[in-house]
Amino acid sequence: MINFERDLANFNLSFYCPKCKLQVRGIPKTDPKWEGGGLSEQWVHLIVQCPTQYCRLSFITYDTLNNRVARVFPEPETSADDYHECIPKNIREDFAEAKRCYFADAYKGTVVMCRRVVQQVVRDKISDKTVWGMKLHKQIDELLKAGLITKSLHELSTEIRHFGNFGAHPQDDGLDDITHEDAETIETFTGDLLIDLYVRPFKTAEMSKKRTKTP
């Protein structure tokens, strides 16, 4: 028997707020409305409020089978300007497109764009164009050899590359079936990579300058 969640108190109302652009837990403002009116339906609609005081209401479609928010209306708008300016603009633009694919449930598009982000990072960090012509797994190896990434970031980048390949090319083993969870994880990995390579060093340098600034 399929187990549909029916109790609103157990709904996982975590969603990305279109206005404040934060992952939040929505506060229900209406009773859930099941499609077709039956309590055994998978899809439920309700209006939620972001807990941030000045955010607008959002209309969500909830998946009671997988216990997650499936769609949010209005859909979040993501652009390069949403990410720290220390990250090169072309990389921010590709990451923003990955995010837009995720919000549109285009999960293969998400992982393919995340893979592209890794390729753009290589071009930003390594100026040697002979490296640019290598396969991406070799490019990631070159980042490690040059001391530009740690072993853990190498492993993280490799996972992004693998799932990007699964999204871009048909697979005989069925691995091209990219799930919501896969896309979410790869998108998070890519964000972590950009924070470690660009944002954290920038903020560390800013703090160092502040600390050593002559009175």
Side-chain angles (χ1 to χ4, degrees), residues 59-202:
F59 180 87
I60 67 169
T61 298
Y62 190 80
D63 179 352
T64 63
L65 178 61
N66 296 296
N67 292 324
R68 67 178 181 86
V69 174
R71 298 297 297 271
V72 179
F73 304 93
E75 291 185 345
E77 297 177 359
T78 307
S79 70
D81 293 338
D82 293 328
Y83 304 105
H84 202 290
E85 62 183 6
C86 69
I87 303 171
K89 187 175 181 180
N90 62 327
I91 296 176
R92 286 185 279 135
E93 288 174 342
D94 282 349
F95 189 49
E97 185 166 334
K99 198 87 167 180
R100 290 194 296 272
C101 288
Y102 175 75
F103 291 138
D105 296 337
Y107 301 136
K108 290 178 184 177
T110 301
V111 297
V112 169
M113 290 307 301
C114 286
R115 183 186 187 280
R116 180 179 167 89
V117 168
V118 175
Q119 290 180 303
Q120 296 280 40
V121 167
V122 171
R123 291 187 170 221
D124 178 58
K125 294 294 184 180
I126 298 179
S127 59
D128 184 354
K129 292 188 177 181
T130 61
V131 173
W132 296 7
M134 296 177 180
K135 296 289 188 180
L136 184 54
H137 73 279
K138 291 290 187 181
Q139 294 177 349
I140 295 171
D141 289 345
E142 290 298 318
L143 286 175
L144 181 63
K145 289 178 184 178
L148 296 170
I149 58 173
T150 62
K151 187 174 185 297
S152 63
L153 287 180
H154 178 275
E155 294 170 352
L156 184 149
S157 301
T158 298
E159 290 306 312
I160 297 170
R161 178 184 70 83
H162 278 309
F163 277 88
N165 287 345
F166 299 156
H169 307 294
Q171 306 290 319
D172 293 335
D173 52 13
L175 287 176
D176 54 353
D177 184 16
I178 304 297
T179 67
H180 169 269
E181 290 74 18
D182 294 336
E184 183 175 50
T185 299
I186 294 304
E187 185 272 331
T188 299
F189 279 0
T190 306
D192 290 344
L193 178 69
L194 297 180
I195 289 171
D196 282 339
L197 287 182
Y198 295 100
V199 181
R200 189 166 288 118
F202 175 85

